Amino acid sequence: MKPILLLENRLIDTRVEQPSASLHDRASQFGDGVYEVIRLYQGTFHLLEPHLARLYRSMEELEIRPAFTKAELIHWLYELVTQNECKEDAIVYLQISRGAQIRNHVYADNLTPIVYAYVAEKERPVTLMQNGIHACIEQDIRWLRCDIKSLNLLPNVLARTNAERKNCQEALLVRGNTVTEGSQSNFFLVKQGTLYTHPANHLILNGIVRQYVCSLASGLGIPVREEMFSIKDVLLAEEAFFTGTTFEILPMTHLDGAAINGGVVGSVTTALQKAFQDSIAVSTMQ
Ligand SMILES: Cc1ncc(COP(=O)(O)O)c(C=O)c1O
């Protein structure tokens, strides 16, 4: 992690000052807050605007009212990257908690939200993008507002840890008969050349890369359908992949040990990866 953090409304150089946080922050007691993970390619923000739009939507849904303007937040984020002299592939973790209050389920409506952000180097998952990953099925036991990017991630954490223990790189979540998304990613399958992904409703997080991949697909003339599908559909799919800010486009070659498309990364996935790669190259040149 880089040494300079954003806490509340100022940057703190941790080499000269220890950041101090309230023990009564509702983020630690209730997971009462929201967050974003934003990509930087060679020190340049990628898709910052849609991340901030989703952050503001998450806050609005939870009645978290920031004491700062969006322009101030953007200024702090750019300062964070500049002062850390970040020139690599990295992520910014940005968290906004409802604020500090002596523990009480009922939140006071005059709390000052606490902003916290840092930059960490993060390489692109190049090998996994080329070779694909193994996933396992886990039950989707999350609440019914998965569209909000809240700090409450215990079901995701449990699913992802189970996957790791099974030597898988992602868990594919299933609610009833329906495949929703990954524990930390969205999910797509390809059937007869068409992309299918779960509709952007309360059962999934509408990923920024999910939306971006849909627009790349349109540009490539690949039809996209936001429809529900089952595990059986996945097993019969021509191709399948996960998307996310740190995942980018990760092909799923095996599900619970069963090969998808003979365990080979398919041509639609590769075409989307290439379009994604090209768009990064353009944005980092500007
Ligand atoms: C549950 C879940 N779905 C989807 C995503 C992908 O979202 P994005 O593309 O905005 O990174 C994430 C990323 O953290 C996630 O946690």
Side-chain angles (χ1 to χ4, degrees):
M1 202 199 293
K2 300 279 184 178
I4 300 171
L5 307 177
L6 172 67
L7 185 59
E8 312 225 13
N9 55 2
R10 67 191 188 94
L11 294 173
I12 296 177
D13 188 332
T14 55
R15 291 165 298 195
V16 292
E17 181 183 345
Q18 260 322 95
S20 74
S22 169
L23 289 175
H24 304 297
D25 190 333
R26 293 182 63 93
S28 56
Q29 287 170 346
F30 296 105
D32 190 351
V34 297
Y35 77 104
E36 285 292 328
V37 176
I38 308 164
R39 230 336 170 176
L40 291 151
Y41 291 114
Q42 294 171 34
T44 302
F45 277 115
H46 189 241
L47 301 171
L48 177 60
E49 254 313 311
H51 276 287
L52 293 182
R54 184 173 64 186
L55 179 80
Y56 271 75
R57 178 185 180 275
S58 295
M59 286 196 288
E60 219 169 285
E61 292 295 319
L62 297 180
E63 296 187 317
I64 294 175
R65 298 187 190 92
F68 48 83
T69 64
K70 198 170 185 180
E72 279 173 318
L73 178 61
I74 292 172
H75 172 73
W76 295 333
L77 293 177
Y78 274 99
E79 273 302 300
L80 180 69
V81 172
T82 307
Q83 293 199 22
N84 277 300
E85 296 176 3
C86 176
K87 301 266 188 304
E88 324 76 25
D89 292 341
I91 52 114
V92 163
Y93 175 78
L94 167 63
Q95 171 180 310
I96 300 183
S97 96
R98 188 183 298 282
Q101 177 186 13
I102 297 294
R103 190 173 184 281
N104 185 343
H105 281 63
V106 182
Y107 52 84
D109 51 18
N110 61 351
L111 299 179
T112 305
I114 300 168
V115 185
Y116 158 56
Y118 63 80
V119 190
E121 284 176 34
K122 187 85 182 167
E123 285 178 8
R124 301 177 60 208
V126 178
T127 309
L128 297 180
M129 287 194 286
Q130 279 166 2
N131 300 339
I133 62 171
H134 287 232
C136 60
I137 300 168
E138 294 288 334
Q139 293 305 311
D140 192 343
I141 59 169
R142 298 173 299 166
W143 69 334
L144 295 175
R145 289 305 308 273
C146 299
D147 54 308
I148 299 173
K149 200 163 168 68
S150 102
L151 296 175
N152 283 275
L153 289 174
L154 262 186
N156 311 59
V157 165
L158 295 176
R160 183 67 185 84
T161 304
N162 279 343
E164 198 71 13
R165 289 182 181 155
K166 295 177 190 168
N167 287 323
C168 291
Q169 293 77 41
E170 178 57 305
L172 183 61
L173 303 180
V174 176
R175 197 186 283 272
N177 197 30
T178 300
V179 172
T180 51
E181 58 180 337
S183 71
Q184 55 176 129
S185 58
N186 292 111
F187 183 74
F188 289 77
L189 60 78
V190 181
K191 194 169 99 185
Q192 292 176 342
T194 296
L195 277 187
Y196 288 80
T197 193
H198 193 286
N201 60 17
H202 62 291
L203 296 179
I204 67 158
L205 181 76
N206 189 6
I208 303 305
V209 176
R210 173 189 180 278
Q211 297 168 55
Y212 194 56
V213 163
C214 288
S215 70
L216 291 175
S218 301
L220 293 172
I222 302 167
V224 181
R225 289 172 69 167
E226 299 191 36
E227 277 178 25
M228 297 202 290
F229 49 81
S230 67
I231 286 292
K232 194 170 157 215
D233 295 316
V234 177
L235 292 171
L236 293 173
E238 287 146 26
E239 303 177 35
F241 58 85
F242 295 98
T243 63
T245 295
T246 54
F247 274 28
E248 297 187 13
I249 300 172
L250 281 188
M252 183 185 79
T253 54
H254 294 81
L255 180 63
D256 280 346
I260 309 292
N261 189 33
V264 176
V265 178
S267 58
V268 173
T269 310
T270 317
L272 289 166
Q273 286 176 324
K274 182 175 180 311
F276 191 96
Q277 164 69 41
D278 291 349
S279 74
I280 300 172
V282 170
S283 69
T284 52
M285 269 184 332
Q286 286 166 351

